[in-house]
Structures are given as structure tokens and as C-alpha cells.
Amino acid sequence: MMKGLSGRHILLGVTGGIAVYKSAELVRQLREKGAEVRVVLTRAATQFVTPLTFQSLSGHPAPAELFDSTAESAMRHIELARWAEAILVAPATAHTIARLSHGLADDLLTTLCLASSAPLALAPAMNQQMWCNLATQSNIDQLRGRGVHLFGPAEGDQACGESGLGRMLEPEQLVQRLAGLFSEPCLDGVRVVVTAGPTLEDIDPVRYLGNRSSGKMGYAVAAAAEQAGAEVLLVSGVSSQPRPKRVECIDVRSAVEMHEMVMRRIPQCEIFIAAAAVADYRPVRQCKQKIKKEFFHLRLELERNPDILADVSRLADGPFCVGFAAETERVAEHAQTKLVAKGVDMIAANRVGQSGSGFESNENELEIFWPGGGVKLPQTSKKKIARQLIELIGQRYKQPER
Ligand code: CTP
């Protein structure tokens, strides 16, 4: 079975072109490779083939309409958009390519392309003149510039009797290209524990000390590790992020709880990635009742929390340890100091306390250090940077001399 596609959630968009007959075969081949497939048709596609064909092949309804009162919830585009791990539009007509390049959302397929953060791939299929038309080419350039993947088109005889560029790739080629979208399983079978989010340190039943971590980076790292083939446990502080697919998640609140959970599970893992923003201090006393404002001054006494990362890296026969360093100034210098002080194998430093990157943001830039080396990952989405980080961790973890 093709490792890259096994268990993957593939959303296939089918638009109205004669190549739809190949899409039916594509669904069959994707399922053979172990992928779960959901199909969405455009209205024009239903002129060539009925939704029932795709429903029978995929095992799920193949809707065309954005608004469907029979759906359990009227939010179908959001559910499907979240479910998808990759979207492939095959065939992609000139018209749908134009709609996508302009960000239109006038049917279910285009709406969920906009609503999904999954990689989008197009398999164009059209008359060669339509493909060569500058309008189509400029739409294609726009889409490429946004990171959309183009599969084909191929050259050859066309249904219209002409010959040239515009044939849709064959199903087996599309399956290959789609599998290539999923990163090489560089952590195949490796057990990874990731901490994420903030820890909250209770003062009384209604108040706590917290920080501005959203959990986005840690969740993205957990998802990227899973996609790289790892078995992942995510120990998370309070976060509203959606849980990554196929990742075991344990919720904790305080640093002490996170420490306890990590120490319990660390003996069964090979890599530890500490992305949580762990509170360094907790209140010495937690009041049972809400503190009343009786006094003019209130002194809150704090004590040190355990350092989870340092404790794990101190373990004899411990895992490969990766830390994060959240810094507001002298990022590289502080990070390198932490690399040594905590005795970790790698540290990913980011600047926090500025807008556009770090806490709460969807983007990040990282400077990564390991003993004797380092690399800078320029600003991009947290999802992308998480994949790059996992790639690096995979390489370092496998280095014999470390
Ligand atoms: N960390 C941890 N347990 C703690 C504190 C930090 O596991 N009690 C981990 C974080 O998850 C991160 C790394 O240590 O991977 C560095 O965290 P950071 O807050 O940047 O540094 P601190 O060690 O807390 O040092 P300081 O606050 O003095 O910068």
C-alpha cells in the first residue's frame, strides 16, 4: 500500500468536462491505496455523470449544492473543508480554474477550496486552445503563485478531435502526484510526545496566572509529526485549537499536571518536543474561596514550577529533546544559552511580544540551533514551518554522531 495515501482524507472536486470518466476510476484507485475519498461535484459535472456514480465508488454522498437542508448541519462546507487533508480538482475546467484564481465561492466546491487550509491540486482538462489562452494562463500563474499544485495537463489527442496540451493526466499519474504531496515519512513509527499551549496556574477558584500562548505552534508540530509517520501524544494546556487528526491528546491545566503527565509517558517515547509555554511560577497557596478585595495591597507569593524540558533531558537514556525558546530580545543568544543550560538536542527560537509572528499569530519564523550548527526558517504559516521543523528533527534524530 502506498504509505503516503493510506488513511488520508482526500477531497476530490469534479467539474464539468469529458474527462470525468477518468475521475470515477481515480476514486477507485485512491481507495485501493487506502485513502478515504469524498467527492464534490459542480453543477456542470452532473451533466456528464450522476452523483450516484461517485457515491457508489466513494461510499459517501457526492454533493453538488452549497445549501442542502437535508444535511445534518448547514455547515457542510466547513466540515468538509476541515476534514480534507488534500483537495484535488480533477478534471479542473478553464471555468473553475478562473473561479478559483479569483477566490469565488459560488458553489460548494469553490467555497470549500476557500475554507480549507489543506493543499490544493488541480488537474486541468480542456481544449488545447482554451489552455493556451492568455486568460487561462494568467489564472494558472496566479494560482501557482499561491502555492496551488498543478498536475498536468498532458499533451495528446483530445476528445474534441484536436491535439495538444490539455488532456487530463491518467488516474495512476494523479494518484502518484497526490501521494507526493504528503511529506516523506521521515519519522515513520517513531513515538513522539509534544507539549503545547499555555499552562494556567490557579490563584483561587476564578482567577489564574496565564500567558498568551494559543497552542497553534505546538498543535501544528504534533500534526506535522503525525504526517511524517510518527505516533504522537499531545499533552496540551488549555487551547481552543482543533485537535490534530490521529493524534492522542491529553488535556492538562497547570505546569505540575503537565510535568506529571509527560514524565509518566516519556519512557515510551523517542522524541520529546516541548512547545508549551509553561509558567515558570505558580502561587504558593491556592485559595479555596474567591479572594475578596479587603486589602489595599495584595501580595501574591510564587514558587518555581518544575522545568519539564530540563527534567526530561536529564533522564538517562532519555529521548531526543527539542525545546522552544520564546524571547522578546537577543533571540539567538538566549536560545543558544538555553540549548546548553537545558542540555537539549535542538532548540527552536522565536521572537514573541510583537504582532505578526509568535504567540497568537498564524505565522512564525524560527531560528533553530543544535550543538555545532543551526538554520533560519523564514516567516511563513505555522503549519508550514512545523513541517520544516519536523523534517529537520527527523534528520538530526537519525544522525549517528549526535
Ligand atoms: N519549559 C518547560 N518547563 C518549564 C519552562 C519551560 O518544559 N517549566 C520548556 C518550554 O516548553 C520551552 C523551553 O523550555 O521548550 C524554553 O521555554 P522558555 O519559556 O523560553 O524558557 P524558560 O526555561 O522558561 O526560561 P526564561 O523564562 O528564563 O526565558
Side-chain angles (χ1 to χ4, degrees):
M1 194 168 281
M2 199 176 284
K3 180 84 197 165
L5 285 173
S6 169
R8 295 295 173 196
H9 293 176
I10 307 297
L11 187 90
L12 177 66
V14 177
T15 72
I18 187 59
V20 288
Y21 74 93
K22 293 188 192 172
S23 311
E25 172 62 14
L26 175 62
V27 176
R28 212 185 54 74
Q29 291 195 17
L30 285 170
R31 292 197 68 192
E32 246 173 45
K33 303 289 184 221
E36 272 189 56
V37 185
R38 300 281 174 93
V39 183
V40 169
L41 302 158
T42 61
R43 207 168 291 168
T46 62
Q47 302 288 313
F48 288 86
V49 65
T50 70
L52 192 60
T53 307
F54 288 104
Q55 176 164 343
S56 313
L57 287 167
S58 69
H60 296 282
E65 300 300 329
L66 182 53
F67 303 107
D68 179 356
S69 52
T70 61
E72 275 169 45
S73 118
M75 298 279 285
R76 177 146 67 191
H77 59 290
I78 299 297
E79 283 165 29
L80 271 175
R82 282 204 191 122
W83 175 88
E85 290 174 278
I87 302 178
L88 170 61
V89 183
T93 56
H95 182 238
T96 292
I97 287 171
R99 289 190 298 151
L100 291 173
S101 91
H102 289 280
L104 297 190
D106 57 349
D107 65 359
L108 180 57
L109 177 59
T110 49
T111 302
L112 55 88
C113 285
L114 268 191
S116 178
S117 60
L120 173 63
L122 307 177
M126 67 196 73
N127 162 274
Q128 52 96 17
Q129 202 55 53
M130 291 172 81
W131 172 253
C132 294
N133 192 299
L134 287 184
T136 306
Q137 286 306 308
S138 101
N139 290 330
I140 289 287
D141 285 347
Q142 281 238 9
L143 289 163
R144 261 209 196 101
R146 281 187 229 139
V148 173
H149 304 269
L150 261 292
F151 296 172
E155 208 164 344
D157 292 338
Q158 301 202 298
C160 53
E162 295 179 20
S163 177
L165 267 178
R167 277 174 63 96
M168 187 169 92
L169 294 190
E170 297 306 315
E172 47 276 24
Q173 294 172 300
L174 291 175
V175 168
Q176 285 283 347
R177 300 287 297 269
L178 204 53
L181 289 189
F182 296 100
S183 54
E184 281 293 295
C186 65
L187 294 180
D188 206 8
V190 178
R191 292 165 303 176
V192 177
V193 173
V194 180
T195 64
T199 67
L200 306 184
E201 310 298 327
D202 288 331
I203 298 169
D204 69 14
V206 294
R207 303 179 182 97
Y208 58 81
L209 292 174
N211 62 65
R212 293 173 59 173
S213 164
S214 60
K216 277 185 193 144
M217 193 63 224
Y219 277 56
V221 166
E226 190 282 326
Q227 278 165 21
E231 246 178 67
V232 183
L233 168 68
L234 175 62
V235 182
S236 171
V238 176
S239 166
S240 59
Q241 291 304 302
R243 288 167 177 241
K245 297 174 186 110
R246 292 181 292 273
V247 165
E248 184 189 353
C249 298
I250 296 178
D251 293 324
V252 295
R253 186 171 171 83
S254 65
V256 167
E257 276 174 36
M258 186 176 274
H259 182 262
E260 196 184 308
M261 186 50 65
V262 168
M263 296 319 273
R264 192 181 307 164
R265 298 291 296 266
I266 219 72
Q268 299 97 43
C269 97
E270 285 96 26
I271 297 180
F272 177 54
I273 307 174
V278 185
D280 292 325
Y281 295 92
R282 64 175 178 274
V284 173
R285 279 171 299 279
Q286 278 180 26
C287 296
K288 293 265 175 305
Q289 305 301 331
K290 185 180 166 204
I291 300 171
K292 306 300 280 180
K293 57 170 183 302
E294 288 167 68
F295 312 106
F296 196 69
H297 288 287
L298 181 69
R299 203 176 285 273
L300 202 55
E301 203 187 335
L302 304 176
E303 64 189 340
R304 278 283 281 271
N305 269 326
D307 189 321
I308 307 171
L309 181 58
D311 285 356
V312 171
S313 92
R314 256 197 300 271
L315 293 173
D317 280 337
F320 181 90
C321 286
V322 183
F324 274 75
E327 307 294 345
T328 55
E329 54 164 4
R330 303 197 342 243
V331 179
E333 189 186 322
H334 285 310
Q336 276 162 321
T337 309
K338 276 179 196 168
L339 178 75
V340 178
K342 301 204 185 202
V344 295
D345 300 283
M346 194 185 253
I347 200 142
N350 62 332
R351 192 177 285 276
V352 292
Q354 59 175 17
S355 62
S357 134
F359 285 168
E360 293 166 336
S361 165
N362 287 323
E363 298 216 325
N364 212 356
E365 59 181 0
L366 292 176
E367 269 189 83
I368 321 251
F369 301 95
W370 53 85
V375 69
K376 208 171 191 158
L377 302 179
Q379 179 153 345
T380 181
S381 73
K382 284 186 174 171
K383 282 191 178 157
K384 250 194 206 142
I385 221 160
R387 287 200 285 269
Q388 295 168 354
L389 176 63
I390 288 296
E391 195 74 22
L392 272 173
I393 293 173
Q395 286 166 15
R396 294 291 310 159
Y397 170 66
K398 287 178 193 146
Q399 296 249 311
E401 78 272 21
R402 67 175 168 83

